[in-house]
Amino acid sequence: MLVKTYSSTVEGIDARTITVEVNLSPGIRFLVVGLPDNAVKESQQRITAAFANNKLHMPGFNILVNMAPADMRKIGSHYDLPIAVGILAASKQVAAEPMLGKYILIGELSLDGTLLPVKGALPIAVQAWKEGFEGIVLPAANAREAAVVQNLKVYGVDHLMQVVALLNGESDLQPTTIDTRAEYFSRLDDFDMDFQDVKGQGEVKRALEIAAAGGHNVLMIGPPGAGKSMLAKRMPTITPPMTLAEALETTKIHSVAGKLGDDSRGGLLTARPFRAPHHITSEVALVGGSVPPQPGEISLAHNGILFLDELPEFNRKTLEVLRQPLDEKRITISRAKYSVDYPANFMLIAAMNPCPCGYRTHPDKVCTCTPAAQARYMSKISGPLMDRIDIQVEVIPVAVESMTRQLREGETSAQIRKRVTAARERQTRRLQRDGYAQTHCNAMLTPEQIERYCRLDDESIELVQNAMTTMGLSGRAYDRILKVARTIADLAGAENIAVDHVAEAIQYRSLDCNHLSDN
């Protein structure tokens, strides 16, 4: 007897439906065809044990499992459930109708029949809805992320016997439902950190506010303990809230990587991601790849922030792979057996010491590094990568008197975020009015858009020309000055860029001329 069930696999951050055909014929062999990997082939042992431990009958026939399309590699243990259900339906232990042809089945079986969580439930649910499936049956641990997709029946089950009861119409299990919009709006401002926690550092806070408003990359340079990491970790609290479309896309990426945890409560991610890989991170871990292919840190930071602390300690080759995704906002991973695209529209926040000992710019401590050692340390960051950082800001340690004050001073994250959101909305309205749907902020402006939106008056042009000559700036650095100036103008609510906006933008290129204040 032949029975068809339906499952799915993930390609990049999208899914593709897989037809699982189970055929019983005289004999005693179990065979899986359709380019299965070892995890799929090992399903026989897991299914056999699960059946035996739950008094289900493994039919004494040849069991042939075909996974179509047959020319695509099938990777993963989530095919256990559709294969098991196919065997049960073919041997008439569960009813094939009315559910079997209308539902996607995914889940890994443990030996006692418990269903274990899988990766990629959200993109699989999205694809099921697109293809007109009525619903999806999957492990209960993945139910909330799949239920983000509206108008799709999502049954989260803990055990194989629950699936048997569901298919036989003997279960009162109800589909998992989530009010996606209510969940999205309920946790937009759910932060446990605040910019007001940072004492002093007014100039750095201003630079980070500009970065958040325009989506600009930032490099903070200063001695240990100056507050660089503390400031970076609070960046998500002042960035504009994600749109619902951004939240769905971000959740898909984290679902594929199996990274949906307590932050999302298994459902929709509402806070912008903040990823902070260690400096020993490899190129593959940063950009993605491996087998099966997985998104890397730059894709997990999509629509959010990638924080690289101790930037010169990263392998130089690892840092150089950032150059292309910083420009193109996506990464293509090509290998002999596959090619996948991952989105990578992130804001880069980097931090570093000014020299190997760290005290070159410290107001009290003396630097022990030679000029040659300082130059070698700074040269670990290549010119092309530095060109792609819009804002470079020096962080000086806060005076002891300010540190010992008990009261928190300065603006809260909510106050800063209000200005940042207003500035980002100005950018969005301007770009959408002119039909630029793919550009979302000033940091993403193309040369054509820079020419259109970043026009300068004569005084500003003269100022930029002088800066280009004296600081030896590149053409890319010139474009980034204009983008930052446009953001500063948006924060001020100005229609046109003024000379003071340009002057402030130029001061954020101090490292281009290798200038740091010395003791």
Side-chain angles (χ1 to χ4, degrees):
M1 182 178 178
L2 174 65
V3 169
K4 291 184 180 181
T5 62
Y6 296 92
S7 190
S8 192
T9 190
V10 175
E11 293 181 328
I13 63 168
D14 297 313
R16 184 173 177 181
T17 298
I18 301 296
T19 302
V20 180
E21 301 175 313
V22 178
N23 187 69
L24 301 186
S25 60
I28 55 171
R29 191 171 60 163
F30 190 110
L31 181 64
V32 182
V33 297
L35 288 182
D37 75 340
N38 286 335
V40 180
K41 292 175 182 177
E42 291 168 356
S43 65
Q44 176 185 359
Q45 282 70 41
R46 292 190 291 271
I47 292 170
T48 300
F51 280 14
N53 289 321
N54 290 282
K55 298 182 180 179
L56 296 170
H57 174 60
M58 178 64 80
F61 291 94
N62 267 342
I63 301 174
L64 175 62
V65 180
N66 178 48
M67 310 180 77
D71 61 347
M72 187 177 72
R73 189 78 174 168
K74 314 304 185 303
I75 300 173
S77 57
H78 64 280
Y79 296 109
D80 288 1
L81 183 60
I83 294 173
V85 168
I87 294 171
L88 293 172
S91 58
K92 301 187 184 304
Q93 297 178 72
V94 299
E97 298 294 340
M99 288 184 64
L100 211 54
K102 301 176 182 178
Y103 280 73
I104 294 290
L105 306 173
I106 58 171
E108 177 187 339
L109 285 174
S110 66
L111 300 186
D112 63 356
T114 302
L115 264 76
L116 304 177
V118 298
K119 296 179 180 179
L122 178 55
I124 288 172
V126 170
Q127 187 64 24
W129 173 78
K130 286 180 179 178
E131 295 189 9
F133 283 91
E134 188 175 310
I136 180 172
V137 179
L138 77 174
N142 299 111
R144 282 183 58 80
E145 64 181 276
V148 167
V149 181
Q150 305 296 296
N151 303 315
L152 186 75
K153 291 182 180 178
V154 177
Y155 287 100
V157 292
D158 293 306
H159 198 276
L160 177 61
M161 295 308 293
Q162 287 181 277
V163 181
V164 171
L166 183 66
L167 292 172
N168 286 333
E170 302 168 351
S171 172
D172 57 359
L173 183 67
Q174 297 299 309
T176 302
T177 57
I178 289 179
D179 187 336
T180 305
R181 291 188 176 275
E183 182 160 315
Y184 167 72
F185 287 109
S186 68
R187 293 188 279 129
L188 280 181
D189 300 310
D190 190 9
F191 298 109
D192 56 4
M193 293 185 290
D194 197 284
F195 249 60
Q196 201 175 43
D197 300 333
V198 183
K199 296 179 180 180
Q201 304 295 6
E203 293 180 0
V204 185
K205 289 180 180 178
R206 166 65 177 173
L208 295 180
E209 178 181 341
I210 294 168
H216 301 289
N217 302 320
V218 181
L219 173 63
M220 293 182 286
I221 182 165
K228 304 184 293 296
S229 299
M230 188 177 186
L231 286 158
K233 289 175 182 176
R234 282 156 179 74
M235 278 295 289
T237 69
I238 66 168
T239 52
M242 285 196 290
T243 64
L244 186 55
E246 286 178 327
L248 285 168
E249 185 179 37
T250 304
T251 306
K252 279 177 67 176
I253 297 169
H254 286 250
S255 174
V256 169
K259 301 292 185 182
L260 285 180
D262 295 336
D263 289 342
S264 67
R265 304 184 186 120
L268 190 69
L269 285 172
T270 55
R272 291 189 182 273
F274 181 87
R275 304 295 299 182
H278 193 267
H279 58 75
I280 62 171
T281 298
S282 68
E283 295 172 53
V284 172
L286 196 62
V287 303
S290 188
V291 179
Q294 290 285 296
E297 291 291 339
I298 63 174
S299 294
L300 292 171
H302 179 63
N303 290 324
I305 293 165
L306 178 69
F307 176 49
L308 301 183
D309 201 4
E310 304 295 346
L311 188 65
E313 302 303 327
F314 281 79
N315 183 286
R316 180 157 180 162
K317 278 186 65 180
T318 301
L319 290 179
E320 293 307 301
V321 302
L322 290 173
R323 287 158 55 177
Q324 182 241 352
L326 281 172
D327 287 338
E328 299 183 8
K329 306 302 181 185
R330 65 184 305 101
I331 182 75
T332 300
I333 309 296
S334 295
R335 299 290 186 268
K337 294 184 179 180
Y338 67 83
S339 178
V340 294
D341 287 337
Y342 291 120
N345 184 13
F346 59 92
M347 185 193 308
L348 175 64
I349 307 294
M352 63 180 287
N353 295 329
C355 64
C357 79
Y359 297 113
R360 181 181 174 191
T361 59
H362 199 284
D364 301 317
K365 297 184 180 181
V366 178
C367 173
T368 59
C369 304
T370 65
Q374 294 173 0
R376 279 196 304 272
Y377 188 77
M378 294 298 295
S379 68
K380 291 182 179 181
I381 315 301
S382 71
L385 181 60
M386 193 70 78
D387 262 356
R388 288 168 170 81
I389 296 176
D390 305 353
I391 296 175
Q392 305 157 1
V393 60
E394 192 174 349
V395 185
I396 303 298
V398 177
V400 175
E401 305 82 57
S402 299
M403 289 290 293
T404 54
R405 288 176 189 158
Q406 297 299 313
L407 295 177
R408 297 197 303 172
E409 298 177 349
E411 293 181 300
T412 64
S413 289
Q415 292 171 308
I416 300 172
R417 194 183 204 191
K418 186 176 181 180
R419 290 196 301 269
V420 166
T421 302
R424 187 69 70 90
E425 287 173 350
R426 290 188 189 98
Q427 297 164 44
T428 302
R429 285 195 301 269
R430 181 167 59 235
L431 292 162
Q432 289 182 347
R433 179 192 65 205
D434 295 333
Y436 295 116
Q438 300 302 314
T439 308
H440 306 293
C441 58
N442 288 334
M444 297 174 65
L445 293 177
T446 64
E448 175 192 357
Q449 293 163 349
I450 292 173
E451 185 176 347
R452 184 169 190 169
Y453 300 124
C454 302
R455 294 177 180 171
L456 305 180
D457 56 28
D458 292 341
E459 188 178 3
S460 298
I461 290 173
E462 183 179 357
L463 180 61
V464 172
Q465 288 175 340
N466 289 337
M468 292 283 292
T469 302
T470 57
M471 299 172 68
L473 301 178
S474 68
R476 184 181 282 113
Y478 168 73
D479 285 347
R480 296 189 183 279
I481 287 173
L482 296 186
K483 292 178 185 181
V484 173
R486 177 67 267 174
T487 300
I488 295 169
D490 288 333
L491 278 168
E495 185 65 29
N496 298 313
I497 298 174
V499 66
D500 55 328
H501 304 144
V502 176
E504 185 175 1
I506 290 172
Q507 79 174 15
Y508 296 129
R509 303 299 308 183
S510 60
L511 294 184
D512 285 327
C513 56
N514 199 28
H515 169 73
L516 286 172
S517 57
D518 292 304
N519 295 341

